[in-house]
Amino acid sequence: MATDRSPDPAPPRPAQGLTAVLRAPFTGRTWREFGWILLGLPLSAVLFSLAVSLVSAGAGLLVTFLGVPLLAGTFAVLRGAGAVERARARALLGVEVPAPEPVRTRRRGFLAWVGGMLKSGASWRHLLYAVLHFPWAVFTFSLLVTVWASGWALLAYPLWHWVFPVFTGQEGLQLYGDGTGGHYLDTPLEIAGTGVVGLLLTLAAPYLARGLNQVDRLMVTGLLGPSRLASRVVELESDRGVVVDTAAADLRRIERDLHDGAQARLVALAMDLGLAKEKLAEDPRAAATMVDEAHAEVKVALKELRDLARGIHPAVLTDRGLDAALSSLASRCTVPVAVEVDLDRRPAAAIEGIAYFTVSELLQNVGKHARATVASVDVWRAEDRLMLRVADDGRGGADPAAGSGLAGLAERLAAVDGILAVDSPAGGPTAVVAELPWRD
């Protein structure tokens, strides 16, 4: 019951690390990182100027009606610029930032759109990005271009140091000095040292760009993407859809089980009793035989109804809690199961039911697929989480990503902020840990 775990990658050898450092100035990632910074200054300058001028004009015109729609239009322009920045970040920085929450209005019309645009938190975050990113872009552009250009220039100094004595009358590049004299880099050792310094700056520039761009990544993600509240709303809407689909699937399963199981047996039972009633006067012995068969059918139908009711919500879970319910569940498993429940009090009924059915699904997997000889169920509380662990000594190799029942179980748990973790290397053993939020 889990994915195969590949061995941990071996740590890079020193030769590989040195090769990566030497190749860094020429990799595609480096040129994309540089491209972000080089393009960032002119784009940020335009965006900053546009934002400051339009917001200032809109604020100045607030005494008239024109200022309010001008501010709303400014926010709309900034949102469009934010879409360009997100696309640029996706192409150059490899950061996938979803679009922010749309402008929500209760009514239709221009005035409703203006009000929604001004009240939208995403609009103000776009304005904040336009204002803050410009000074940062000036700093990163100035620093990186200085380091990058100086590095390449000093690295190539052994090739062009002859320019100074030929065209300027100096011995070489002046390190320090004033109008009366100074020190020039003109000896072979100094020329070689200058090249080494240039090499170090050239090799450091890619990593400097990556470090500077981490701030840009945070700004784009935090200011141009959806807020945490909006992301949470989307997540809850998705979870609600999962819950609705799960409930619909459970209702269909119950209907199918009733139709194909107990209902069909009850219909056959009614027919058998009708035939027995007709034969009662003619052939009492045959009628008695048919009544006995109907009695057996009643027992089977009652068993199916009990199993179905237990699958909906077992009475023992309501009356006695998880310990007794899981022990009853383990006694019906085809594999010997040891159950240990360490809870000082019962969680909420909904969480208790989800925990029960989670263990039920996992034990069914053990009995059907694991080929195990023994299994265990452990339940305990860790702070504000209800922990479940189902382990077996079977063959392992289950993969939730392969579309198995574990994937559906993980979706059900995620709908209530739960987590399902599977550890099952090929050959076993298997351990599945589920976390649920604790609710009293």
Side-chain angles (χ1 to χ4, degrees):
M1 288 198 310
T3 57
D4 296 340
R5 292 180 298 176
S6 58
D8 294 334
R13 293 175 295 185
Q16 293 177 336
L18 180 60
T19 301
V21 171
L22 294 176
R23 291 180 60 249
F26 309 101
T27 60
R29 176 183 176 180
T30 295
W31 290 105
R32 289 192 297 270
E33 299 270 358
F34 284 176
W36 170 269
I37 293 177
L38 296 178
L39 290 175
L41 179 60
L43 292 178
S44 295
V46 173
L47 188 60
F48 177 85
S49 303
L50 191 66
V52 171
S53 59
L54 290 180
V55 169
S56 300
L61 292 174
L62 283 178
V63 293
T64 68
F65 181 74
L66 296 178
V68 176
L70 180 58
L71 287 176
T74 302
F75 287 145
V77 172
L78 293 178
R79 278 176 169 263
V84 175
E85 288 292 277
R86 289 192 300 272
R88 193 165 69 95
R90 180 171 57 251
L92 299 178
L93 298 181
V95 179
E96 188 70 34
V97 181
E101 60 274 17
V103 177
R104 300 182 182 274
T105 58
R106 295 183 178 180
R107 298 186 301 272
R108 295 183 178 182
F110 177 72
L111 293 180
W113 175 82
V114 169
M117 186 66 71
L118 293 177
K119 291 187 294 183
S120 173
S123 300
W124 293 96
R125 291 198 304 273
H126 280 67
L127 174 61
L128 185 62
Y129 176 85
V131 174
L132 293 181
H133 191 260
F134 175 64
W136 175 251
V138 172
F139 170 75
T140 55
F141 182 92
S142 304
L143 179 60
L144 183 64
V145 169
T146 300
V147 173
W148 192 20
S150 300
W152 283 107
L154 295 178
L155 178 60
Y157 182 64
L159 302 178
W160 59 273
H161 72 281
W162 56 269
V163 172
F164 289 96
V166 173
F167 293 100
T168 65
Q170 297 179 356
E171 290 83 356
L173 185 64
Q174 187 176 20
L175 184 61
Y176 62 86
D178 51 24
T180 61
H183 182 77
Y184 298 92
L185 302 174
D186 56 351
T187 67
L189 182 60
E190 292 174 339
I191 294 174
T194 303
V196 171
V197 173
L199 176 63
L200 295 177
L201 291 177
T202 303
L203 296 179
Y207 299 97
L208 175 63
R210 295 175 189 179
L212 295 173
N213 285 340
Q214 288 299 326
V215 178
D216 291 84
R217 288 182 173 90
L218 293 176
M219 293 179 67
V220 172
T221 304
L223 297 178
L224 300 184
S227 64
R228 291 184 178 181
L229 179 60
S231 300
R232 183 59 177 163
V233 169
V234 173
E235 181 181 351
L236 291 176
E237 289 178 348
S238 176
D239 291 344
R240 182 182 62 184
V242 172
V243 172
V244 172
D245 293 342
T246 300
D250 290 340
L251 288 176
R252 289 194 298 268
R253 176 182 59 81
I254 294 171
E255 181 184 8
R256 183 179 63 252
D257 292 343
L258 284 173
H259 183 271
D260 298 340
Q263 180 180 350
R265 291 189 181 278
L266 291 176
V267 170
L269 174 63
M271 295 176 63
D272 291 342
L273 289 176
L275 292 175
K277 181 179 179 181
E278 293 179 359
K279 287 184 175 292
L280 184 61
E282 301 175 2
D283 190 354
R285 182 172 299 177
T289 302
M290 297 180 68
V291 170
D292 289 339
E293 294 175 353
H295 183 254
E297 286 291 326
V298 168
K299 291 182 178 180
V300 174
L302 287 175
K303 181 180 182 302
E304 290 183 352
L305 288 174
R306 281 195 300 268
D307 293 340
L308 183 60
R310 189 182 294 114
I312 297 173
H313 194 88
V316 66
L317 178 63
T318 303
D319 298 337
R320 301 173 57 189
L322 275 175
D323 195 353
L326 295 182
S327 298
S328 175
L329 190 65
S331 66
R332 300 193 301 272
C333 186
T334 57
V335 176
V337 181
V339 178
E340 182 176 352
V341 179
D342 183 14
L343 297 176
D344 55 354
R345 62 179 183 271
R346 296 177 62 175
I351 298 300
E352 202 172 48
I354 295 173
Y356 174 85
F357 290 112
T358 299
V359 175
S360 176
E361 290 282 344
L362 294 176
L363 288 183
Q364 288 183 22
N365 288 345
V366 172
K368 293 179 181 179
H369 310 297
R371 298 180 185 175
T373 60
V374 67
S376 64
V377 176
D378 296 290
V379 181
W380 71 98
R381 179 180 179 180
E383 296 180 355
D384 60 344
R385 306 291 285 181
L386 176 63
M387 308 296 296
L388 314 171
R389 184 178 185 273
V390 178
D392 66 76
D393 62 348
R395 61 178 180 172
D399 185 1
S404 62
L406 291 175
L409 187 59
E411 290 183 355
R412 292 190 179 194
L413 294 179
V416 292
D417 289 337
I419 300 173
L420 185 73
V422 182
D423 179 18
S424 178
T430 292
V432 180
V433 177
E435 293 186 20
L436 289 168
W438 181 275
R439 296 171 187 166
D440 291 318

